[in-house]
Amino acid sequence: VLLARTVPIEECKKPTDGLTLFYTDFDRSRIEVREILKMGRHAVNSNQTFYDNLEVPVEHRIGEDGKGFRYILDSLNPERVLNAAECVGIGRRCLERAVKYAGERVVFGRPIGKNQSIQHPLAENWSELLAAELLTLHAAELYDSGEPCGAQANAAKYLAADAAFKAADQAVRTHGGMGYAAEFHVERYFREAVVMRLAPVSREMVLNFIAERELGLPKSY
Ligand SMILES: Cc1cc2nc3c(=O)[nH]c(=O)nc-3n(C[C@H](O)[C@H](O)[C@H](O)COP(=O)(O)OP(=O)(O)OC[C@H]3O[C@@H](n4cnc5c(N)ncnc54)[C@H](O)[C@@H]3O)c2cc1C
């Protein structure tokens, strides 16, 4: 799927106008693909793409000319909800691993999980993940009912990504030095949790959206 500018920006009222959506063949004689090496998320590759004289027939256009960005927006809220659910899943897996390790690892004759300084952050992770899950379900319910859900979907993604990141960090720390070893998997979950705070929308952009749209604060641009 391609989103391309078809009307020069100077002729548009808003920068997001004048973009058109296409669903077309991936012609590798006209498109160069360069893979981006990255920290995690290796199940899906990410790429830079370069287009050189790619001709796209008009019948490959989706909807009306110049309205592509508006169509893309329709997919963003459910994607936020999906990402939030993914974060809750990553966070819960980290918590499960941390609890198991805390119960099994014995130092000075007792499991480290007997210490409240080990227990409390994990209990906090549990609470934050549950709160994020409830907001995720609320946003999903609004979306499924055809109600506006932009703020809720964004807030769910924001809270769930933070909760997942904290749970992953805590899982690594609960494992001590072993948290850094690949065999315990928490370092891998930690790397996955890092990207959830950045993409597909960063924490800052969620907060900008809520500040401007929900709170009615002046636009920052
Ligand atoms: C693994 C991976 C997969 C991705 N997959 C997709 C995908 O499938 N689809 C897709 O559309 N995108 C995808 N992205 C892109 C992702 O959405 C962007 O990287 C992200 O939105 C941040 O944009 P940027 O990288 O251009 O950062 P920049 O815009 O350069 O921002 C850099 C930093 O400055 C902050 N910042 C920028 N402007 C402001 C402001 N006005 N106020 C406060 N802070 C600000 C940002 O929050 C960020 O922390 C992916 C990224 C990664 C890493």
Side-chain angles (χ1 to χ4, degrees), residues 88-102:
V88 172
I90 293 175
R92 292 242 165 93
R93 185 72 178 133
C94 291
L95 183 57
E96 207 177 284
R97 287 254 172 196
V99 167
K100 183 168 181 291
Y101 192 81

Side-chain angles (χ1 to χ4, degrees), residues 114-198:
K114 271 200 169 185
N115 301 309
Q116 287 182 332
S117 63
I118 295 279
Q119 294 177 357
H120 286 184
L122 300 178
E124 199 175 343
N125 294 149
W126 181 89
S127 311
E128 288 170 357
L129 287 165
L130 181 60
E133 183 185 36
L134 292 178
L135 185 53
T136 303
L137 293 175
H138 174 56
E141 197 172 18
L142 289 173
Y143 179 76
D144 282 347
S145 319
E147 300 285 330
C149 66
Q152 291 79 2
N154 273 281
K157 194 266 169 188
Y158 171 86
L159 292 178
D162 266 12
F165 181 83
K166 276 181 71 179
D169 179 43
Q170 199 58 46
V172 170
R173 290 161 64 195
T174 304
H175 282 72
M178 287 301 140
Y180 213 65
E183 82 178 268
F184 287 90
H185 297 284
V186 286
E187 60 82 28
R188 174 166 72 87
Y189 300 143
F190 179 79
R191 286 186 282 118
E192 295 302 314
V194 170
V195 78
M196 303 311 291
R197 299 211 299 179
L198 293 171

Side-chain angles (χ1 to χ4, degrees), residues 72-103:
I72 290 270
L73 280 182
D74 278 344
S75 70
L76 295 184
N77 288 333
E79 190 190 28
R80 306 271 191 268
V81 175
L82 174 83
N83 291 143
E86 204 178 312
C87 292
V88 172
I90 293 175
R92 292 242 165 93
R93 185 72 178 133
C94 291
L95 183 57
E96 207 177 284
R97 287 254 172 196
V99 167
K100 183 168 181 291
Y101 192 81

